[in-house]
Each structure stands twice: as structure tokens, then as C-alpha cells.
Amino acid sequence: NAGVTQTPKFQVLKTGQSMTLQCAQDMNHNSMYWYRQDPGMGLRLIYYSASEGTTDKGEVPNGYNVSRLNKREFSLRLESAAPSQTSVYFCASSEPGGASGGELFFGEGSRLTVL
Amino acid sequence: AQSVSQHNHHVILSEAASLELGCNYSYGGTVNLFWYVQYPGQHLQLLLKYFSGDPLVKGIKGFEAEFIKSKFSFNLRKPSVQWSDTAEYFCASEGPFGNEKLTFGTGTRLTIIP
């Protein structure tokens, strides 16, 4: 059982370049999330998707776009990367009210450096 | 907006010492509370959670947390830490209305000295 899978695990970009972080979950969860983790800042929600076909902004959405391609996949796109987007990105999924009781299941993270 | 405060940024303990990490949340209504742990180089995983009922919650690896509504606190405890407990610990709250969006604290880095 793979859980939540993110790709790539590492990426170096130049300012202004674009890229997409991919996330897929195999737990049949309805809700998916993208967080960024920065030292001293904890985890901050970028975007989330409560169900297939819906997306909503989180705490720090500027500079990002998302696509909920289907129930399994939720991608995060940086259209024009900036050094301030250097961070570790985590995808997560959850199933509220299910056996897991709303627990978030996280991927292993994607470390992005923007030069 | 909700907020979660973790005032201990870095805690250093010797093995077998007792641990208490502080967590305070801002929302005064019904709230679900969580502690997540991130071991070095790994992703976050759930340690324990509180939804309702007994305010003393037991989690994995001997951790427990106590929900004290009057203090808006959900402190994490362990009677005797081990070197393998070295990790970063995040408190999180969900609420109101169980809308699934967790608000995380800034984390506490725990270093255990053998």
C-alpha cells in the first residue's frame, strides 16, 4: 500500500521557470491538500481539495495553482518560480468521518530550491 | 482565524528524562486536536488525536496528551524519552465544524542526547 506518492522528491529551478509537483493517493480519500514547510513557520496550507472537481485556497496560495485531475491525483503548479518558493512541499490526503477519523496521511515531501 | 502556538522551539533532553511539549490553540468552540511527528528525513505521521471523550489521550510509542479546555491547551507528554524520539513535533487543530483544514503550530524540535 503506497499511500501518498509525490514526485519529484528534489528539484532545482531558476527564477521564472515553471514546474508541476505531482501527488497521487491510493486510499480512495476525498480530500487532498498541499502544504509547504519552512523553518520556524511550521506547515502552511497552500491549496486543498475537498472532493474531486473542487479546489480552494489555503493560507498561502499566491504564486501557485492546483488541479484535482481525478479522485486520486492533485497537482501543484508554480507558473513562475521565485526564490521565496524555496521550501519543502507536502501533499496529504484524508477521509473525514472514515475509519481514520480525519487523520491526514502525508507524502514524503518534495524539496524545491529556486535560485 | 485559528492559530496554534508551540512555544518550545527546540528542546534538548537526556535519555530517560520526562518530556512535556506545550501546545495552545485559539478556537474556543468544538475543536479536534492532533500531534504529528516528523522523524529526520521522513514525512509527518500521526502520534495521537483528540476528538471527544476522555481528555487524556494515549498515542503510539508511549506518548500521551491532555486536553484542558479551560487552558486551551493540548500538551504532549512522555514519561521517559529515548534517543529514537529525536524528531520534530507538530501540534494541529481542526475546527470549527470539522472542516478538515488543519492549522499547524510552528513545531518543536526535540533532540535526545544518549
Side-chain angles (χ1 to χ4, degrees):
Chain A
N1 191 348
V4 179
T5 304
Q6 293 178 232
T7 57
K9 287 184 171 47
F10 300 94
Q11 184 73 48
V12 179
L13 292 176
K14 294 181 180 178
T15 296
Q17 288 185 317
S18 62
M19 78 158 297
T20 300
L21 298 177
Q22 307 284 357
C23 175
Q25 52 95 6
D26 62 5
M27 294 173 283
N28 202 37
H29 287 166
N30 277 301
S31 300
M32 297 186 73
Y33 313 80
W34 277 105
Y35 286 89
R36 59 178 289 174
Q37 183 183 25
D38 302 290
M41 305 287 285
L43 278 83
R44 292 179 293 170
L45 183 64
I46 305 171
Y47 269 95
Y48 70 103
S49 170
S51 62
E52 184 179 352
T54 68
T55 61
D56 284 288
K57 295 179 180 180
E59 183 184 353
V60 289
N62 291 346
Y64 305 94
N65 285 302
V66 290
S67 295
R68 183 74 182 267
L69 305 170
N70 47 55
K71 192 172 185 179
R72 288 187 66 247
E73 298 173 290
F74 188 39
S75 62
L76 178 72
R77 183 161 178 83
L78 286 70
E79 291 292 351
S80 179
S84 61
Q85 294 177 304
T86 293
S87 187
V88 180
Y89 292 85
F90 286 97
C91 179
S93 70
S94 72
E95 187 57 48
S100 59
E103 174 185 350
L104 285 182
F105 292 83
F106 286 86
E108 294 190 349
S110 299
R111 184 175 295 275
L112 175 65
T113 301
V114 183
L115 302 175
Chain B
Q2 283 190 74
S3 65
V4 176
S5 299
Q6 293 181 247
H7 301 295
N8 312 109
H9 298 294
H10 189 191
V11 173
I12 303 173
L13 294 172
S14 298
E15 274 191 312
S18 64
L19 169 72
E20 181 161 5
L21 301 182
C23 173
N24 290 94
Y25 60 94
S26 63
Y27 181 65
T30 301
V31 63
N32 299 326
L33 297 162
F34 305 79
W35 276 97
Y36 282 83
V37 60
Q38 185 179 28
Y39 296 104
Q42 297 187 26
H43 62 281
L44 282 83
Q45 55 189 285
L46 183 69
L47 258 185
L48 50 78
K49 61 188 178 186
Y50 171 79
F51 282 8
S52 63
D54 189 343
L56 185 61
V57 180
K58 295 192 184 297
I60 61 171
K61 304 188 181 185
F63 286 92
E64 64 179 32
E66 185 174 14
F67 169 60
I68 303 179
K69 189 173 182 178
S70 62
K71 295 184 178 180
F72 296 85
S73 71
F74 189 56
N75 292 355
L76 181 70
R77 300 195 296 243
K78 186 171 184 178
S80 176
V81 294
Q82 302 172 305
W83 177 79
S84 58
D85 294 325
T86 294
E88 191 150 16
Y89 293 80
F90 294 92
C91 183
S93 71
E94 176 195 27
F97 315 124
N99 64 3
E100 312 154 39
K101 289 188 294 178
L102 295 196
T103 299
F104 283 85
T106 54
T108 297
R109 185 155 63 101
L110 175 65
T111 301
I112 305 300
I113 301 170

